[in-house]
Amino acid sequence: MKKLFFILVTMLLALQGYSQSHYRIGTEAKYDSIYALDDQYFAAKFNGKWGVVKDNTTIVSYQYETIESLGDNMLTFIQDGKVGFVNIETQEVIPAKYMRELDYSRVEKSSLNIFTNGSALVYDGQKLRVIDTKGKDVVGDTVEIITKSNNTIIYRKDAAYGMMDAMGRVTAPAKYMQIETVIPGQLYAYIGVREGMKLYGLVDAKGEQKSLAYYDDVQLINKNDKFYVKAFLPTGKQSLYDANGDIIFQPLYSLIEPTTMPFYYNITEDTKRGIIGRDMVIYIPPVYEDVQVMALNNDTFFVARNEGVSFILNKQNQLLTHYEGGISGFISYSKDNIIFVADSFLNYGVMSSKDGWLIRPEYDEALGFVKDNVILMKNKKWGAVSLTGKTVIPFEYSKVKLANNRSYVVFYDGKKTSVVLDENARQITFDKVKKIKSYDKYIAYDVKDKEQRIYLSGEQMNSSFKSVGTESEGLYPVQDEKGWTYADSETMKVVSDKRFNFCTYFRNSQALAVQGNNLIVIDKNFNTIDTLITGDPKSLRTTAAALIFAPQLKKSNVIVKVNGKYGVLKVLK
């Protein structure tokens, strides 16, 4: 009978459109200050002292001067100017007796006083130590700790350097003259002696040698958001390694570096440059002053330069064309013709390998192109010229905006009628404006404090709105003279008579709105599901925006301020 009653209640709630809020109070707003230790635990200041709170429950009582970090469930706190630790699960305390800072140049400061991989690097005023979560020294006094990063400890014993894991187990015995950090916790360079010379080799965080001591210099570089290590032999040749210490290229050239395209690498020999692939194929031999890799229509080309002459070559090292000047970019390529932006004595134009100059080099700057129209500057004014040499947008605009997807370009300056030029060579004119925002499918701008939109279809949005938010689930949040409400995404007609101080777009059939001094959750019928917090409407608007964007940022908690106090709101879905 109870089961039947539960089913009936559930069905009734469903028929009434009941839905549970995707948000709830994670931590009551009663703290003087609060910040995230991770996505679950928060350091909170209450009555002048710091503790830790999680889901509105005090985990560590408010008794500390400062809380600094959390790692391996071990909280780092400051008491009487000294560093101590407390286990947030068992509440076991390692007394505050360690130094907060030290002047020790070989230590990665970010590794001090924080637990990682079961241990922490601390300084007791006399020497560096590594302690476990019980406060026990895992290394002892027989060696000198140099530094610790993640699971790697560098130590010195009898004037030689070695490596241990985070719990003090030796991974590389003390046999090196020195060990230097290349990438903390990942890759290191050791110094050894080879044929009477002090040379570098590479060793990873586990103590495994990745190379013998061959090199008289190693350099860490970052290219395309990836780390690489250049290692130089005494002969001047260079090897290239990845961030794990695995070799990419043997020392065949005096310089090997990644290009802007991951598969290809610049090689240098006798000051001349070429291109080698990850497949060890030499695509361009090192006979040029400079070589760049460029892509067009899923194909790859190389632009090489010697004595002022630019050469365009394909992956078979076949010459497609050459030009006495520089090449800034490609526009199109066919079997027997390549069209590119060229510069001649700092003047820009467009050249065809088959037909010569399509657009004479008489322009000050080239921004890019939309299909067959090139955006150029002349006498500090922007315009556009087609590949036939015809001026399609006169050079009268001081501002230009090229869409990220290159599907259109906007010319504007506030003095002349603005114009959109799209990839079909269609021109769409609109108001004189000084500022615009460009998106993939439309341009937004304000006229007398009302937001306007020009869609690439040529349609203009209803101008009665002061502001328009992001479309989602068939609705736009919009602001008119009465306040914020919602409009149908196709007709742009207002679909609700309710007005809010502010409202967000819908996510999973729910949105956030500020109504008076309340932050509320509403459903697709614009009814209130839940009232989250009360406060200043301006602050609530900021909070609403932070909550709706939280999932995109992979966050499940947002810190809020209510009447001068801080708390946490939780995103459930």
Side-chain angles (χ1 to χ4, degrees):
M1 186 68 180
K2 288 183 178 179
K3 184 175 181 181
L4 178 61
F5 176 76
F6 175 77
I7 293 172
L8 289 172
V9 170
T10 302
M11 292 175 63
L12 179 61
L13 289 173
L15 290 170
Q16 291 176 340
Y18 175 84
S19 58
Q20 185 178 7
S21 172
H22 299 334
Y23 310 89
R24 69 171 173 81
I25 295 174
T27 298
E28 182 184 354
K30 64 178 183 179
Y31 298 99
D32 304 321
S33 185
I34 196 167
Y35 65 88
L37 295 167
D38 58 20
D39 203 34
Q40 297 184 64
Y41 294 95
F42 291 81
K45 189 177 184 181
F46 189 69
N47 292 332
K49 295 292 185 180
W50 286 88
V52 175
V53 63
K54 174 189 176 185
D55 292 336
N56 221 23
T57 301
T58 298
I59 304 299
V60 175
S61 60
Y62 310 99
Q63 57 181 303
Y64 299 113
E65 292 175 9
T66 305
I67 288 174
E68 292 201 331
S69 58
L70 178 66
D72 289 351
N73 287 326
M74 296 295 292
L75 182 73
T76 303
F77 66 83
I78 308 296
Q79 195 75 310
D80 299 325
K82 296 293 181 68
V83 176
F85 305 91
V86 57
N87 188 308
I88 58 173
E89 291 186 343
T90 66
Q91 302 298 310
E92 293 179 88
V93 176
I94 298 174
K97 60 181 179 179
Y98 301 106
M99 307 300 290
R100 190 175 186 180
E101 296 178 348
L102 74 164
D103 183 17
Y104 204 78
S105 61
R106 287 176 294 185
V107 176
E108 280 81 31
K109 303 296 178 64
S110 61
S111 300
L112 190 69
N113 298 326
I114 182 169
F115 273 85
T116 57
N117 298 91
S119 66
L121 180 70
V122 296
Y123 182 57
D124 64 6
Q126 300 292 322
K127 63 183 295 186
L128 287 168
R129 297 185 181 278
V130 177
I131 59 172
D132 65 14
T133 57
K134 302 292 185 180
K136 178 184 175 182
D137 188 334
V138 299
V139 175
D141 293 318
T142 59
V143 301
E144 176 188 359
I145 302 298
I146 303 302
T147 191
K148 175 184 182 291
S149 293
N150 299 327
N151 195 40
T152 303
I153 299 170
I154 307 300
Y155 72 94
R156 182 167 60 187
K157 183 178 182 180
D158 299 330
Y161 288 72
M163 304 173 76
M164 300 177 178
D165 67 15
M167 301 311 296
R169 295 179 286 261
V170 173
T171 55
K175 60 181 180 179
Y176 303 115
M177 294 184 65
Q178 192 170 335
I179 297 177
E180 299 177 4
T181 301
V182 179
I183 304 175
Q186 187 170 350
L187 191 63
Y188 298 82
Y190 67 88
I191 297 179
V193 176
R194 192 177 184 87
E195 298 179 357
M197 299 175 62
K198 293 181 180 179
L199 298 172
Y200 287 98
L202 295 175
V203 58
D204 68 12
K206 298 178 181 180
E208 179 186 347
Q209 277 193 6
K210 307 301 287 189
S211 81
L212 296 175
Y214 287 135
Y215 306 106
D216 60 4
D217 189 24
V218 292
Q219 298 176 7
L220 180 68
I221 61 171
N222 187 312
K223 192 75 171 183
N224 306 323
D225 294 324
K226 283 187 175 183
F227 285 114
Y228 299 87
V229 177
K230 297 196 294 186
F232 295 88
L233 293 174
T235 60
K237 302 292 186 181
Q238 178 223 311
S239 298
L240 187 68
Y241 291 83
D242 66 17
N244 297 316
D246 295 324
I247 194 160
I248 301 174
F249 288 106
Q250 297 288 348
L252 303 174
Y253 302 94
S254 57
L255 195 65
I256 307 176
E257 297 177 309
T259 67
T260 55
M261 295 182 65
F263 182 79
Y264 299 98
Y265 297 78
N266 276 124
I267 53 176
T268 302
E269 192 62 39
D270 296 329
T271 73
K272 296 295 185 178
R273 308 194 77 185
I275 296 289
I276 192 171
R278 189 65 182 89
D279 54 3
M280 301 304 293
V281 172
I282 298 176
Y283 288 88
I284 306 295
V287 295
Y288 296 97
E289 294 171 1
D290 185 43
V291 184
Q292 296 182 18
V293 186
M294 293 187 180
L296 179 66
N297 299 335
N298 298 318
D299 208 346
T300 303
F301 301 91
F302 306 100
V303 178
R305 194 176 176 94
N306 259 350
E307 298 180 351
V309 179
S310 295
F311 304 87
I312 300 177
L313 306 108
N314 62 17
K315 290 192 292 186
Q316 289 73 42
N317 193 27
Q318 295 170 329
L319 179 65
L320 302 179
T321 189
H322 69 281
Y323 162 66
E324 292 189 14
I327 295 175
S328 302
F330 296 142
I331 295 177
S332 66
Y333 171 72
S334 61
K335 184 177 180 180
D336 59 350
N337 191 23
I338 185 164
I339 298 174
F340 55 93
V341 178
D343 68 84
S344 176
F345 303 102
L346 299 180
N347 290 318
Y348 293 86
V350 175
M351 177 170 275
S352 161
S353 61
K354 181 179 179 181
D355 302 314
W357 287 109
L358 303 179
I359 300 174
R360 299 294 303 175
E362 54 189 32
Y363 299 93
D364 306 322
E365 191 173 340
L367 177 65
F369 59 91
V370 175
K371 200 64 180 292
D372 293 333
N373 294 303
V374 186
I375 303 106
L376 299 161
M377 175 188 275
K378 189 173 186 178
N379 298 325
K380 297 183 179 180
K381 296 290 185 179
W382 291 98
V385 180
S386 72
L387 294 182
T388 62
K390 178 184 176 182
T391 299
V392 294
I393 301 294
F395 288 82
E396 300 173 344
Y397 295 91
S398 60
K399 296 180 180 180
V400 66
K401 181 72 174 180
L402 179 63
N404 290 335
N405 61 5
R406 295 181 179 270
S407 63
Y408 68 87
V409 59
V410 187
F411 298 88
Y412 63 104
D413 64 3
K415 298 177 182 179
K416 291 182 61 62
T417 299
S418 306
V419 60
V420 180
L421 177 65
D422 71 12
E423 58 190 350
N424 297 314
R426 182 178 51 175
Q427 297 184 29
I428 306 169
T429 58
F430 61 99
D431 301 275
K432 300 175 183 179
V433 293
K434 293 182 179 180
K435 294 181 180 180
I436 67 164
K437 295 178 181 178
S438 67
Y439 301 89
D440 285 350
K441 296 182 180 180
Y442 66 88
I443 299 101
Y445 60 96
D446 290 341
V447 174
K448 296 181 180 179
D449 296 327
K450 293 182 179 179
E451 183 173 304
Q452 312 289 308
R453 288 186 182 182
I454 292 291
Y455 289 84
L456 296 187
S457 62
E459 179 184 357
Q460 185 165 354
M461 189 199 71
N462 189 326
S463 63
S464 63
F465 301 126
K466 291 184 176 181
S467 188
V468 179
T470 302
E471 187 275 337
S472 178
E473 301 184 12
L475 295 170
Y476 277 108
V478 296
Q479 183 186 23
D480 59 17
E481 299 294 341
K482 298 178 183 180
W484 283 85
T485 186
Y486 290 91
D488 183 89
S489 61
E490 292 186 4
T491 65
M492 292 307 293
K493 301 294 184 182
V494 172
V495 294
S496 172
D497 58 358
K498 293 187 178 180
R499 293 297 185 273
F500 308 98
N501 298 77
F502 175 72
C503 57
T504 70
Y505 61 82
F506 276 86
R507 185 175 61 81
N508 296 326
S509 299
Q510 292 186 10
L512 293 152
V514 179
Q515 191 171 56
N517 292 323
N518 296 321
L519 177 60
I520 62 175
V521 184
I522 59 175
D523 61 20
K524 292 293 284 287
N525 295 316
F526 316 111
N527 295 321
T528 301
I529 297 173
D530 192 12
T531 298
L532 295 175
I533 54 175
T534 61
D536 171 61
K538 187 175 181 180
S539 297
L540 293 179
R541 176 172 175 159
T542 302
T543 300
L547 283 169
I548 202 72
F549 278 114
Q552 293 178 234
L553 302 175
K554 298 183 178 179
K555 294 175 63 177
S556 59
N557 292 286
V558 172
I559 294 173
V560 297
K561 186 178 182 181
V562 180
N563 299 323
K565 297 294 184 178
Y566 293 89
V568 178
L569 285 176
K570 196 171 188 68
V571 182
L572 302 177
K573 184 177 179 181

